[in-house]
């Protein structure tokens, strides 16, 4: 039983050394990233940067910034209780999670590169040394939370004076548990070693013993969710249902304990929620945890709630870049249609959480619309969060930036949730490409790869060649296959079908419409639209054999998008897209301040291959988009309006801020003069990061 559950867990966790198998409750099984080899193309570059730059950088920052010292200080206190190590200032009660998340990313990396090195020694050895330091901070009963353990009489002001006291506020004891569980299970899967897993189990057992509705327990829910997802992973890895029950307890008690507010999605019971509110990362992790518990327990009330919340997000609270969380204040979802651009918060972690939610909803419902959301978030809001080189990160991801603003990616932050989250997300990306159900094989993302997977329990090799997201031709070939008759289900993206998002929040405007997607099977054309099934997938059912080839040609014209009139911030403006990529106007490519352009509503655009040279001198292939159907507005010395014909060049949004900070950036461009401006956008302060307003 345990073995079975461990195998099962592997698929859910997107990384394993074992064969894919069904996750209990989820009707669709993701093909784990270990079965999908990606070595080139757009994502090949990102994966290399993650392996060679991001993960080593995150570890070195954990060293430099005292993340490990917190554990060793806690250990020193445990050895000699007269020694205390009070917080010296700029630290957070969730600093322990940065090592946990980076270990998770490194574990994924190890599954593809088992011989990876860090600072001249095997990465596995380095991880063992870090895990030993982490374990040394564990109290004898399993409790592991350095802010309290290292200085019990002078703890961090967010930690409380005794365990669980402030866990519904800011201590993050359960948040730390959640990330520890995710990291520990990934490490166990990657290495087969139990060192981190056993530490995590001891902490989880301590929580299960002390927190609940029983006698001698305290009734508390996480201030910051993620323990729910982590506990489900631990349940799947161990087969011990107490972890699943604890996850369910956390969800069911939400809104019923002393914490009852929208910021932490505790204003009403989770099953009664129908609108995305409050802190966007907390919310996303909670919805993902609800999907996991719903899938396993069959609890339809959870599912109904997440379905409604999903609908609210994609219809009213979703940025064109795929970002979520409009407000700096509270790092939170705004009201319906509240989607400011320069002031957008769109935390990188919230984009990651949004991918987790939509991936799970796909696994539950099997509709392509969830992957349209995954794709939009992935290619825009999420990867904008990390530089092309993998060495710098955005925390908020605004859709406009003032020309005088000192806003740029940074190598690390005091609150480093986003860099460490990127460290764990990017290496898991190949796990989002394929999925299977019975005799169906889903192709959800397009990138060059070769994969070995199981359809109906039988081995199938599949390969993709493509220059996506810049080129719309995707060649899929079937390699050796034991499975004969199965349905190949290829996602036909919403952007090819006149639907930027699965709602009326955005619509394509202007005359450029993609030609119908051309599909051939072994060179013979088939009717794409006519073979799209109700789930949104092009479904090709046949007897497959080695050498069979499917070619898709997605037409990729440059399209203009308008927002629903209810979105005040985007009125009179359009955003520009090509394929899955949202474009932006940035200062290095344009003569006038990018805020002062007025686009013709019938503008036509040209796309061209180009190279983006970063400040560090590295070159990255991109496709730029240009138009001459544009004017610039300015004032002359007498304050008369001057209108000149101009030319506008746009680059993919993810690529902005690689060439210094000497000017602005805009995603939404005016087509109506009432939305245009003859003066540059100057910085109102972006304000402090919202976590100061928790
Ligand atoms: O509270 C932990 C993390 O810090 C949150 O997920 C982020 O939004 C940041 O506030
Ligand atoms: Zn973050």
């Amino acid at each position: 039983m345990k073995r079975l559950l461990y195998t099962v867990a592997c698929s859910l966790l997107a990384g394993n050394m074992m064969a894919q198998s069904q996750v209990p409750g989820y009707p669709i099984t993701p093909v784990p990233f270990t079965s999908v080899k990606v070595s080139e193309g757009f994502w090949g570059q990102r994966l290399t940067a993650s392996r060679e730059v991001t993960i080593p950088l995150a570890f070195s920052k954990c060293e430099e910034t005292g993340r490990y010292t917190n554990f060793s200080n806690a250990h020193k206190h445990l050895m000699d209780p007269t020694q205390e190590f009070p917080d010296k200032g700029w630290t957070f009660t969730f600093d322990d999670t940065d090592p946990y998340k980076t270990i998770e990313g490194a574990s994924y990396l190890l599954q593809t590169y088992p011989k990876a090195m860090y600072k001249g020694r095997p990465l596995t050895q380095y991880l063992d040394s870090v895990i030993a330091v982490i374990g040394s901070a564990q109290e004898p009963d399993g409790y592991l939370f350095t802010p309290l353990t290292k200085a019990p009489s002078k703890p961090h002001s967010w930690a409380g004076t005794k365990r669980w006291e402030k866990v519904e506020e800011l201590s993050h004891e359960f948040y730390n548990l959640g990330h520890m569980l995710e990291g520990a299970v990934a490490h166990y899967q990657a290495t087969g070693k139990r060192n981190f897993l056993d530490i995590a189990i001891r902490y989880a057992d301590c929580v299960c013993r002390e927190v609940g509705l029983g006698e001698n327990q305290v009734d508390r829910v996480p201030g910051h969710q993620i323990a729910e997802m982590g506990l489900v992973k631990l349940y799947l890895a161990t087969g011990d249902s107490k972890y699943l029950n604890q996850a369910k307890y956390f969800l069911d008690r939400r809104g019923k304990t002393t914490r009852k507010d929208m910021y932490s999605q505790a204003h009403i019971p989770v099953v009664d929620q129908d609108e995305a509110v409050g802190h966007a990362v907390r919310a996303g992790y909670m919805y993902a945890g609800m999907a996991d518990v719903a899938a396993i327990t069959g609890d339809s009330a959870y599912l109904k709630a997440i379905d409604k919340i999903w609908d609210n997000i994609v219809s009213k609270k979703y940025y064109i870049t795929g970002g979520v969380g409009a407000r700096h204040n509270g790092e939170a979802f705004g009201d319906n249609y509240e989607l400011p651009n320069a002031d957008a918060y769109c935390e990188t972690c919230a984009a990651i959480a949004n991918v987790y939610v939509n991936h799970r909803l796909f696994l539950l419902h099997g509709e392509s619309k969830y992957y349209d959301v995954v794709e939009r978030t992935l290619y825009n809001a999420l990867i904008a969060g990390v530089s092309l080189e993998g060495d710098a990160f955005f925390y908020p991801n605004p859709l406009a930036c003032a020309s005088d603003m000192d806003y740029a990616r940074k190598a690390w932050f005091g609150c480093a949730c986003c860099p460490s989250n990127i460290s764990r997300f990017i290496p898991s990306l190949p796990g989002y490409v394929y999925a299977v159900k019975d005799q169906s094989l889903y192709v959800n993302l397009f990138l060059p790869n070769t994969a070995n997977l199981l359809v109906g329990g039988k081995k199938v090799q599949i390969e993709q060649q493509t220059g996506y997201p810049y080129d719309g031709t995707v060649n899929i070939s079937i390699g050796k296959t034991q499975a004969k008759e199965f349905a190949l289900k290829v996602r036909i993206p919403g952007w090819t079908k006149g639907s930027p998002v699965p709602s009326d929040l955005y619509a394509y405007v202007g005359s450029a419409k993609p030609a119908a997607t051309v599909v051939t099977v072994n060179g013979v054309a088939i009717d794409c639209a006519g073979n799209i099934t109700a789930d949104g997938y092009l479904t090709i059912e046949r007897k497959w054999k080695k050498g069979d080839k499917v070619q898709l040609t997605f037409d990729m014209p440059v399209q203009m998008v308008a927002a629903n009139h209810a979105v005040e911030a985007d009125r009179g403006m359009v955003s520009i897209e090509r394929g899955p990529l949202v474009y932006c106007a940035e200062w290095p490519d344009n003569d006038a301040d990018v805020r002062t352009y007025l686009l013709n509503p019938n503008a036509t655009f040209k796309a061209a291959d180009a190279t983006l040279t970063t400040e560090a001198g590295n070159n990255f292939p991109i496709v730029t988009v240009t138009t001459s159907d544009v004017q610039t507005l300015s004032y002359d010395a007498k304050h008369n309006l001057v209108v000149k014909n101009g030319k506008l060049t746009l680059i993919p949004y993810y690529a902005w801020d690689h060439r210094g900070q000497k000017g602005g950036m805009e995603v939404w461009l005016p087509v109506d003069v009432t939305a245009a401006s003859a003066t540059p956008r100057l910085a109102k302060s972006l304000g402090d990061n919202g976590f100061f307003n928790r």
Side-chain angles (χ1 to χ4, degrees):
M1 173 68 169
K2 282 195 173 170
R3 178 78 177 169
L4 169 75
L5 278 163
Y6 169 61
T7 309
V8 152
C10 293
S11 300
L12 177 66
L13 300 169
N16 69 71
M17 300 181 297
M18 309 174 77
Q20 84 197 20
S21 48
Q22 197 177 348
V23 183
Y26 279 108
I28 299 180
T29 305
V31 173
F33 74 82
T34 42
S35 305
V36 184
K37 231 191 183 81
V38 180
S39 46
E40 55 185 65
F42 187 89
W43 287 105
Q45 185 272 317
R46 290 283 184 167
L47 289 165
T48 305
S50 164
R51 184 174 74 248
E52 292 181 355
V53 181
T54 309
I55 291 174
L57 172 74
F59 278 134
S60 73
K61 291 292 178 187
C62 286
E63 292 161 19
E64 264 171 43
T65 60
R67 296 306 201 252
Y68 300 152
T69 312
N70 290 332
F71 292 99
S72 50
N73 283 343
H75 173 71
K76 283 185 193 154
H77 173 81
L78 291 174
M79 295 296 98
D80 174 4
T82 63
Q83 288 194 62
E84 298 222 15
F85 303 87
D87 176 43
K88 289 204 186 109
W90 200 231
T91 66
F92 292 97
T93 45
F94 47 87
D95 282 356
D96 292 355
T97 63
D98 296 321
Y100 302 159
K101 285 189 268 181
T102 314
I103 293 172
E104 184 179 341
S107 301
Y108 297 150
L109 186 169
L110 279 172
Q111 293 196 336
T112 330
Y113 295 89
K115 298 208 169 117
M117 304 288 285
Y118 175 71
K119 290 194 176 164
R121 63 174 165 145
L123 179 59
T124 46
Q125 265 183 28
Y126 176 75
L127 295 186
D128 285 344
S129 67
V130 171
I131 291 165
V133 176
I134 291 170
S136 75
Q138 189 154 40
E139 298 193 10
D141 67 353
Y143 184 75
L144 211 176
F145 178 64
T146 65
L148 205 48
T149 303
K150 70 185 175 146
S153 70
K154 297 177 208 94
H156 190 290
S157 61
W158 289 4
T161 52
K162 58 178 197 299
R163 59 175 75 170
W164 324 131
E165 184 184 285
K166 289 198 176 174
V167 72
E168 296 195 341
E169 289 140 42
L170 289 172
S171 83
H172 288 76
E173 284 149 293
F174 298 156
Y175 173 80
N176 291 9
L177 170 72
H179 276 301
M180 183 194 290
L181 294 174
E182 301 230 331
V185 175
H187 179 259
Y188 172 51
Q189 289 175 349
T191 63
K193 293 185 189 176
R194 294 192 60 106
N195 44 352
F196 196 17
L197 186 67
D198 285 338
I199 294 168
I201 287 176
R202 281 198 291 275
Y203 187 22
D205 287 349
C206 168
V207 170
C208 292
R209 241 181 0 255
E210 299 192 7
V211 183
L213 289 172
E215 248 179 73
N216 305 322
Q217 285 186 309
V218 294
D219 183 21
R220 300 268 200 287
V221 298
H224 192 313
Q225 300 89 326
I226 199 180
E228 302 81 352
M229 290 162 74
L231 284 161
V232 170
K233 285 187 179 176
L234 187 60
Y235 158 66
L236 292 171
T238 60
D240 191 336
S241 56
K242 80 169 173 232
Y243 304 122
L244 177 64
N245 295 338
Q246 191 72 22
K248 192 158 162 31
Y249 155 83
F250 279 154
L251 289 168
D252 290 343
R253 289 298 297 161
R254 204 158 195 90
K256 297 175 187 159
T257 64
T258 51
R259 181 98 206 218
K260 289 185 171 52
D261 62 341
M262 279 201 179
Y263 168 82
S264 72
Q265 300 79 35
H267 51 306
I268 49 175
V270 297
V271 290
D272 297 331
Q273 298 189 22
D274 58 9
E275 182 176 350
V277 294
H279 187 274
V281 184
R282 290 164 201 241
Y285 289 168
M286 182 174 94
Y287 308 147
M290 284 166 74
D292 285 344
V293 176
I296 294 170
T297 62
D299 192 321
S300 60
Y302 281 179
L303 211 50
K304 271 192 208 138
I306 328 164
D307 286 347
K308 284 190 203 154
I309 293 167
W310 178 85
D311 195 57
N312 172 252
I313 295 174
V314 298
S315 306
K316 299 184 175 74
K317 302 195 178 187
Y318 189 51
Y319 277 96
I320 194 64
T321 52
V324 289
R327 291 185 190 165
H328 280 244
N329 193 346
E331 306 179 296
F333 282 103
D335 291 337
N336 288 335
Y337 302 112
E338 179 187 339
L339 294 165
N341 291 311
D343 294 337
Y345 197 61
C346 285
E347 183 177 339
T348 302
C349 288
I352 292 174
N354 195 46
V355 167
Y356 290 158
V357 175
N358 280 277
H359 184 227
R360 282 162 167 78
L361 288 176
F362 159 74
L363 296 176
L364 280 165
H365 298 308
E367 288 177 53
S368 68
K369 64 184 183 183
Y370 300 108
Y371 252 95
D372 286 346
V373 177
V374 168
E375 181 177 73
R376 180 169 292 277
T377 300
L378 193 58
Y379 278 99
N380 301 290
L382 196 157
I383 53 168
V386 51
S387 68
L388 288 157
E389 282 104 345
D391 61 350
F393 311 90
F394 275 141
Y395 188 151
N397 289 276
L399 283 79
C401 187
S403 46
D404 63 341
M405 199 156 95
D406 183 17
Y407 188 65
R409 291 184 188 84
K410 294 197 171 53
W412 196 248
F413 303 93
C415 169
C417 53
C418 298
S420 52
N421 230 353
I422 284 284
S423 298
R424 74 186 185 126
F425 179 80
I426 298 288
S428 74
L429 181 274
Y432 290 86
V433 179
Y434 299 106
V436 295
K437 181 188 179 195
D438 305 326
Q439 301 303 318
S440 295
L441 165 55
Y442 294 84
V443 181
N444 278 319
L445 296 178
F446 308 109
L447 59 160
N449 71 84
T450 49
N452 286 290
L453 43 88
L454 299 174
V455 181
K458 301 214 168 117
K459 288 184 186 166
V460 176
Q461 283 180 346
I462 186 166
E463 191 181 306
Q464 286 187 45
Q465 284 306 331
T466 178
Y468 201 89
Y470 287 123
D471 187 297
T473 302
V474 180
N475 286 301
I476 301 174
S477 358
I478 304 292
K480 277 195 217 149
T481 174
Q482 287 174 352
K484 299 292 173 225
E485 196 155 352
F486 63 90
L488 188 70
K489 282 183 166 284
V490 185
R491 184 175 63 92
I492 303 298
W495 58 261
T496 68
K497 298 184 285 191
S499 173
V501 290
S503 71
D504 67 357
L505 186 54
Y506 300 105
Y508 290 118
V509 291
S511 53
K513 293 202 173 26
T517 299
V518 176
V519 183
T520 61
V521 179
N522 295 331
V524 178
I526 61 163
D527 172 15
C528 178
N531 284 292
I532 296 181
T533 37
D535 55 9
Y537 286 86
L538 163 68
T539 303
I540 312 173
E541 245 178 305
R542 53 180 269 139
K543 283 192 177 144
W544 296 96
K545 58 178 185 336
K546 184 174 174 193
D548 281 347
K549 292 193 183 339
V550 176
Q551 185 182 68
L552 296 119
T553 310
F554 299 124
D555 186 28
M556 282 189 173
V558 178
Q559 303 193 74
M560 290 194 278
V561 179
N564 187 306
H565 189 71
V567 183
E568 199 181 338
D570 302 339
R571 277 188 204 148
M573 305 208 271
V574 292
S575 72
I576 311 297
E577 310 192 342
R578 182 172 180 272
L581 299 174
V582 173
Y583 275 71
C584 68
E586 200 189 12
W587 66 271
D589 310 298
N590 294 292
D591 296 336
D593 187 284
V594 290
R595 163 73 159 175
T596 62
Y597 284 85
L598 174 63
L599 200 60
N600 188 303
N602 301 311
T604 58
F605 299 85
K606 282 197 183 115
D609 288 337
T611 299
L612 185 135
T613 304
T614 64
E615 246 188 332
N618 298 312
N619 291 326
F620 294 89
I622 58 166
V623 166
T624 54
V625 160
T626 52
T627 183
S628 300
D629 296 326
V630 73
Q631 293 169 307
T632 56
L633 311 185
S634 59
Y635 292 114
D636 67 12
K638 293 185 184 153
H639 213 73
N640 291 316
L641 186 66
V642 179
V643 181
K644 288 189 194 152
N645 289 337
K647 184 179 166 199
L648 182 66
T649 299
L650 301 120
I651 61 162
Y653 170 74
Y654 74 75
W656 85 280
D657 186 42
H658 283 89
R659 296 169 292 178
Q661 303 161 41
K662 298 187 200 107
M665 181 278 290
E666 302 284 336
V667 167
W668 287 94
L669 300 162
V671 282
D672 190 303
V673 74
T674 57
S677 170
T679 50
R681 183 192 292 281
L682 295 178
K684 286 192 295 172
S685 164
L686 247 192
D688 292 330
N689 285 336
F691 58 80
F692 295 112
N693 303 315
R694 285 174 215 243

